[in-house]
Amino acid sequence: MKLAYYIKKKDLKDDERVHQPLRVLREKGFDVYDVAASGGISDGTDVLLSFGGDGTFLTAAQLAAAAGIPIVGMNFGRLGFLSENRPEDVVNALVSGEYTIESREMLMVGMDCEKPQRWHPMALNEMTVHRIGAAMLGVDVTVNGTPLPAYWADGLLVSTSSGSTAYSLSVGGPICTPDTRVLIIAPIAPHNLNVRPLVVPEGTAISLVPHSREENVVLTLDNRNYVIPAGTKLDVCVAPLRLRRLRIGESSFIEALRTRLHWGEDLRNGI
């Protein structure tokens, strides 16, 4: 089996915790190479390994989705919702073949202006538009061609179910299990009290037009930022590509909520 690996943080490149699983995999007969050093994913690669946290996973996911190969995360970060596995568990699963492959929806964003540099139109967790200056944004939103009341806020996000435990959660969005086929539309720091996050089916076509007193606004796709002109129309939908992700063991989304986000911690629950 041919494996690529991706490391974003320079200090991890010399970390023995990284070198150890790589040595074991090579000793077991795996062809393992550094995707950054090689300049890209080479033909015949079976799996991409992501060493780091969820931010590293999101960057590596772009490479895996484009190459059409599965990705698995080894957690060296803080939270680890996407990059959830211990290195030794990944090694054991690859050697034994005891894993499954799940697929996750991704967002695709189109725009009616010139594309920014290093433009990549897909996101696993969410896309957002943000204000740049002090003035709030007015965001016109249509859902399958039907206009919603304008949002007045610091910004607006559209999230996948995978992203429901990321930025969407921090702005009051609902928690969705990863297999829920929905998108979440949620304002960021809204300036009116009668707006709430909206959940729509995954096949919904969403259009956003941010208006601002400033000349530009910020567009984000996962951990990537772009500056675009205010008034740009953004078309958001589920991407034709899905991210394939290795799932190891009987990992539980609910258990992850309890152990990583401390969901339900309350003295009355005996926790």
Side-chain angles (χ1 to χ4, degrees):
M1 181 179 282
K2 189 174 183 179
L3 307 174
Y5 67 91
Y6 178 79
I7 301 174
K8 186 175 182 180
K9 292 187 175 180
K10 293 181 179 180
D11 57 345
L12 274 182
K13 291 183 180 291
D14 298 322
D15 196 314
E16 178 59 25
R17 296 174 300 163
V18 170
H19 293 305
Q20 173 63 21
L22 293 177
R23 278 198 302 267
V24 173
L25 287 169
R26 290 187 174 109
E27 290 169 359
K28 296 294 184 180
F30 289 84
D31 180 5
V32 185
Y33 69 95
D34 183 348
V35 66
S38 67
I41 295 179
S42 62
D43 292 341
T45 301
D46 297 290
V47 177
L48 176 61
L49 312 177
S50 171
F51 287 85
D54 285 353
T56 299
F57 186 96
L58 289 172
T59 301
Q62 300 174 48
L63 302 172
I69 62 173
I71 182 173
V72 61
M74 297 188 185
N75 187 24
F76 291 88
R78 290 170 294 181
L79 191 58
F81 248 94
L82 296 168
S83 186
E84 63 180 345
N85 306 290
R86 298 183 303 173
E88 57 268 30
D89 293 337
V90 173
V91 171
N92 292 336
L94 290 171
V95 171
S96 66
E98 295 179 354
Y99 56 81
T100 57
I101 298 178
E102 63 181 12
S103 64
R104 297 282 184 97
E105 290 85 2
M106 302 182 74
L107 294 175
M108 185 168 65
V109 178
M111 63 176 67
D112 65 352
C113 70
E114 183 179 352
K115 304 297 188 295
Q117 291 185 344
R118 299 183 300 277
W119 172 248
H120 181 78
M122 291 188 292
L124 175 63
N125 275 351
E126 75 277 316
M127 66 79 62
T128 76
V129 286
H130 282 268
R131 65 188 175 109
I132 285 183
M136 73 181 75
L137 292 184
V139 186
D140 295 331
V141 182
T142 62
V143 174
N144 288 333
T146 300
L148 302 180
Y151 289 89
W152 294 95
D154 283 359
L156 190 92
L157 68 79
V158 179
S159 167
T160 64
S161 54
S162 293
S164 72
T165 51
Y167 196 178
S168 176
L169 181 67
S170 71
V171 301
I175 296 174
C176 304
T177 59
D179 57 349
T180 307
R181 308 302 189 194
V182 297
L183 300 177
I184 302 164
I185 304 171
I188 301 165
H191 199 251
N192 43 359
L193 300 178
N194 59 347
V195 294
R196 295 290 184 271
L198 177 65
V199 179
V200 298
E202 67 170 6
T204 303
I206 302 168
S207 293
L208 315 176
V209 181
H211 301 285
S212 174
R213 294 176 185 170
E214 305 291 337
E215 182 179 354
N216 297 314
V217 298
V218 175
L219 166 67
T220 75
L221 286 88
D222 286 339
N223 53 0
R224 308 184 304 283
N225 297 337
Y226 305 99
V227 176
I228 63 172
T232 298
K233 182 183 178 185
L234 302 168
D235 294 314
V236 186
C237 63
V238 171
L241 296 177
R242 289 177 179 248
L243 179 70
R244 300 169 65 204
R245 179 174 176 266
L246 255 66
R247 180 175 178 180
I248 296 172
E250 296 298 324
S251 58
S252 167
F253 178 74
I254 301 301
E255 186 63 21
L257 291 177
R258 293 182 64 251
T259 58
R260 297 189 180 117
L261 290 183
H262 307 291
W263 188 34
E265 282 201 2
D266 190 307
L267 292 176
R268 293 168 295 181
N269 293 338
I271 298 176

